[in-house]
C-alpha cells in the first residue's frame, strides 16, 4: 500500500514559469524528505522537514510541511531546464528508526 | 569525501542464475538500507541494517533474497534463482540514524540496474 500520493504525476512547463508539486498522506510522519532523481541514478536528497508548518528554502525551491505533518509541497520559482527530473517525497514514521516510504513521484520537464 | 557506492552499476543475467550486488556506505554511517525501484515507481524498502544487525525485512524480500553486512561496513544483496520479475533498480542508502529529531536523512548510491532475460 502506497501511503504517499504525489500530484501531479507528470508536469511539463516552460522555462521561467512557477510550479507546485504536492505530497499527501492520511498518515502522520515524523519527518519528510524530498529527493530529485535523474534517469539511471539514485535519488539525491534536497531537504528534510521535521516540524509541522515548517518552511525551508533552497535557492528557488520552497518546501513546506503541513501543520498536521501529513502533507508537504514543493514550489519552484522561475523553473529552469536544470530542474528537470523525478521529484520524490519520502516519509519516516519514527525518528531515525525506520525505512522511508516513498511517493510515486512527479516527473517534471522544463522546456527551454 | 566519497558518497555511497554500488557495484556493479548494471547486471544482465539469465533467469535462474544467482546475482550478488555490493554497497559501500558513507564511512561514518551505521545504518544501511536496500530499496528496489521499478519503472515509474518510487523506491520500495527491502531491508535495513544497524551496524551488522539486520533489523527489518520487507515482505517483498522473498526467500530467494538475502542481505548481509558482516562487519558493519559494506553490504551485499544476493538474489538466487533470478526471475524476470526481479528486473529493477536496486538502490542502497545509508544514514546516521541518530534519532536526534532531525529526521532520518538517507543518502543513496547510484543503484544497480538488474535485467533478467
Amino acid at each position: 500500500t502506497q501511503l504517499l500520493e504525489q500530484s501531479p504525476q507528470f508536469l511539463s512547463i516552460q522555462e521561467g514559469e512557477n510550479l507546485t508539486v504536492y505530497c499527501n498522506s492520511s498518515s502522520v510522519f515524523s519527518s519528510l524528505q524530498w529527493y530529485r532523481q535523474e534517469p539511471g541514478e539514485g535519488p539525491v536528497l534536497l531537504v528534510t522537514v521535521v516540524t509541522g508548518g515548517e518552511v525551508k528554502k533552497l535557492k528557488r525551491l520552497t518546501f513546506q510541511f503541513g501543520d498536521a505533518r501529513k502533507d508537504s509541497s514543493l514550489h519552484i520559482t522561475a523553473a529552469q531546464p536544470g530542474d528537470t527530473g523525478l521529484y520524490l517525497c519520502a516519509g519516516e514514521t519514527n525518528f531515525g528508526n525506520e525505512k522511508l516510504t516513498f511517493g510515486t513521484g512527479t516527473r517534471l520537464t522544463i522546456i527551454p | 569525501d566519497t558518497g555511497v557506492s554500488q557495484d556493479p552499476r548494471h547486471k544482465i543475467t539469465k533467469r535462474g542464475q544467482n546475482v550478488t550486488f555490493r554497497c559501500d556506505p558513507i564511512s561514518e554511517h551505521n545504518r544501511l538500507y536496500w530499496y528496489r525501484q521499478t519503472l515509474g515507481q518510487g523506491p520500495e524498502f527491502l531491508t535495513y541494517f544497524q551496524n551488522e544487525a539486520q533489523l527489518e525485512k520487507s515482505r517483498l524480500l522473498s526467500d530467494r533474497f538475502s542481505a548481509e553486512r558482516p562487519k558493519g561496513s559494506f553490504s551485499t544483496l544476493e538474489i538466487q534463482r533470478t526471475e524476470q520479475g526481479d528486473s529493477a533498480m536496486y538502490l542502497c542508502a545509508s544514514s546516521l540514524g541518530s534519532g536526534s529529531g532531525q529526521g532520518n536523512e538517507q543518502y543513496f548510491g547510484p543503484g544497480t540496474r538488474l535485467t533478467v532475460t
Side-chain angles (χ1 to χ4, degrees):
Chain A
T1 303
Q2 192 65 266
L3 296 179
L4 282 166
E5 297 290 335
Q6 287 189 241
S7 61
Q9 260 191 295
F10 300 93
L11 183 58
S12 182
I13 64 170
Q14 295 287 334
E15 180 178 359
E17 293 184 357
N18 302 333
L19 67 108
T20 302
V21 173
Y22 300 93
C23 175
N24 294 293
S25 175
S26 57
S27 301
V28 175
F29 292 98
S30 56
S31 73
L32 194 138
Q33 282 87 46
W34 282 93
Y35 292 84
R36 187 172 78 195
Q37 186 176 25
E38 305 283 349
E41 299 293 331
V44 175
L45 180 64
L46 297 175
V47 78
T48 300
V49 286
V50 175
T51 306
E54 182 177 6
V55 177
K56 281 192 174 179
K57 292 192 175 184
L58 184 67
K59 298 182 180 178
R60 294 175 293 99
L61 278 60
T62 301
F63 304 85
Q64 183 162 10
F65 202 11
D67 291 341
R69 290 185 285 128
K70 293 182 178 181
D71 56 270
S72 181
S73 63
L74 158 60
H75 183 79
I76 301 179
T77 304
Q80 298 178 1
D83 296 327
T84 293
L86 178 67
Y87 288 82
L88 294 159
C89 64
E92 176 195 10
T93 52
N94 288 318
F95 275 120
N97 289 323
E98 288 195 9
K99 72 278 188 181
L100 293 177
T101 299
F102 279 83
T104 51
T106 293
R107 187 162 298 281
L108 175 64
T109 303
I110 308 301
I111 303 166
Chain B
D1 177 35
T2 57
V4 179
S5 61
Q6 292 187 245
D7 183 69
R9 292 293 309 274
H10 300 91
K11 178 70 177 179
I12 300 173
T13 191
K14 292 186 177 180
R15 188 177 55 186
Q17 298 293 306
N18 300 343
V19 294
T20 300
F21 309 141
R22 176 179 171 126
C23 171
D24 287 87
I26 293 171
S27 58
E28 63 267 29
H29 285 182
N30 61 4
R31 290 174 193 254
L32 187 149
Y33 304 78
W34 285 99
Y35 292 82
R36 181 171 70 186
Q37 185 177 26
T38 53
L39 204 60
Q41 300 293 319
E44 293 178 292
F45 169 79
L46 292 178
T47 188
Y48 91 96
F49 294 84
Q50 180 173 331
N51 299 313
E52 66 276 8
Q54 188 172 16
L55 295 187
E56 186 173 349
K57 292 195 289 187
S58 161
R59 59 180 172 78
L60 292 176
L61 213 66
S62 76
D63 291 344
R64 297 183 297 105
F65 288 70
S66 62
E68 294 183 343
R69 195 183 183 197
K71 298 181 180 178
S73 56
F74 73 91
S75 176
T76 57
L77 177 68
E78 181 184 16
I79 309 175
Q80 296 182 327
R81 305 181 302 282
T82 53
E83 302 173 355
Q84 287 186 321
D86 297 332
S87 295
M89 174 79 92
Y90 289 84
L91 293 163
C92 175
S94 69
S95 75
L96 283 171
S98 62
S100 65
Q102 296 305 307
N104 189 12
E105 296 189 337
Q106 296 184 21
Y107 296 87
F108 283 80
T112 295
R113 167 77 61 191
L114 173 67
T115 302
V116 182
T117 61

